[in-house]
Amino acid sequence: MRVLVTGGLGYIGSHTCVELLAAGFDVVVLDNLANSALAALDRIEQIAQRSLAFIEGDIRDADLLDSLLDDYEIEAVIHFAGLKAVGEGQQQPMLYHDVNVAGSHVLLSAMERAGVNCFVFSSSATVYGAEADIPYVETSPVNPSNVYGNTKRIVEMMLADLCQPNDSDWSVAVLRYFNPIGAHPSGLIGEDPRGIPNNLMPYIAKVAVGELQELSVFGNDYSTRDGTGVRDYIHVVDLAKGHVEALKFLAKKQGIEVFNLGSGNGYSVLELINAFKDISGVAVPYKFAPRRAGDLPEFYAEPSKALQLMGWKTELDLNHMLADTWHWQKNNPKGYSAE
Ligand code: NAD
Ligand code: UFG
């Protein structure tokens, strides 16, 4: 089966390409390199020992999509391409709606014209928002609290509408990721944020290699076990494998299905810092800082639906996540930009 992977050179996309190639899928990547580097392509091929097709281009380019769906005889699409920085989304809402919402509409419309109807969507646990009880279940109320989350929610609704007619022949998996961290155990691909990282794990990694001075822990007065925020961290390789299982699941199923992809375990910021020290030997200096606007105290997944329907669950624990992050960061202190 030949799969189009939009955003396939990004953090989660690159790991997913590796797993798709390993599982025997043929892969075509469409990426505009807005937040990724061409060097990732060689690294993916080096790990997988197989080649993939790469097209540099934008998901909002309908003509390009029409020709590539046809030329490559695409049978399924995994859609990672998009913008994901919560703060930037608040500053530039129209950009986020353009890339994430309008971009998904252009892509799905091109798929409709081409008769390609198998689709896996990168959604986020952020769609649940503050009102849902934890752990989050797929049926928990959805009420995102930021622009980025709204764009994910709108695309989820677009997909539900697409699958709603009785004669719809679409097969759609909406994957709500919890907090992906880690890197491929080879140390060849990993997360390479531009500028100052927004997220905890890449920030810790950059402090550990001396590129940043000190971590700010946003809030130590939450009603959690040590006062710092608790999240469900998931190894990016487990997450990547979840996409392969989703494609296999969709081969046998029509309609839309929503899955949490998380471990079901929560770790606090301080637990992550301490576990990182145990694994790497590096004590990351930190200070307590005020809460970050919009952050929730604690959330984690109820992940059993993915196990029941797709046979997927996380295999790699926090130690693997931290060891593989450190391996990647040490080998590539400047990310892909050294190439
Ligand atoms: P990423 O930025 O590393 O990857 C996104 C890729 O899409 C990049 O390679 C970028 O160049 C490409 N891209 C962006 N706009 C594009 C466009 N208009 N046309 C073509 N390519 C474009 O991000 P990631 O962490 O790999 O996330 C992948 C997806 O998963 C995103 O949709 C994101 O919202 C979602 N997600 C990520 C997280 C997370 O914590 N990383 C959590 C939940 C959901
Ligand atoms: N944190 C710090 N210092 C930092 C960065 C983060 O203390 O420098 C804390 C946060 O306050 C939070 C925890 O670390 O308690 C995790 O924060 P991240 O920014 O790493 O992750 P979030 O849970 O805030 O959000 C991430 C993505 C969202 C996505 C969500 C769920 O940024 O896009 O995971 O998948 F929706």
Side-chain angles (χ1 to χ4, degrees), residues 60 102 131 156 201 219 266 333:
R60 294 163 293 179
E131 276 149 40
E156 287 194 2
M201 190 69 249

Side-chain angles (χ1 to χ4, degrees), residues 7 9-13 30-36 57-60 80-84 99 122-124 148 152 177-178 180:
L9 296 193
Y11 174 44
I12 305 169
L30 173 67
D31 197 306
N32 69 356
L33 304 178
N35 195 35
S36 52
D58 199 296
I59 51 162
R60 294 163 293 179
F80 294 105
L83 301 176
K84 61 166 185 175
V99 176
S122 296
S123 191
S124 168
Y148 166 69
K152 291 294 178 190
Y177 312 154
F178 283 69

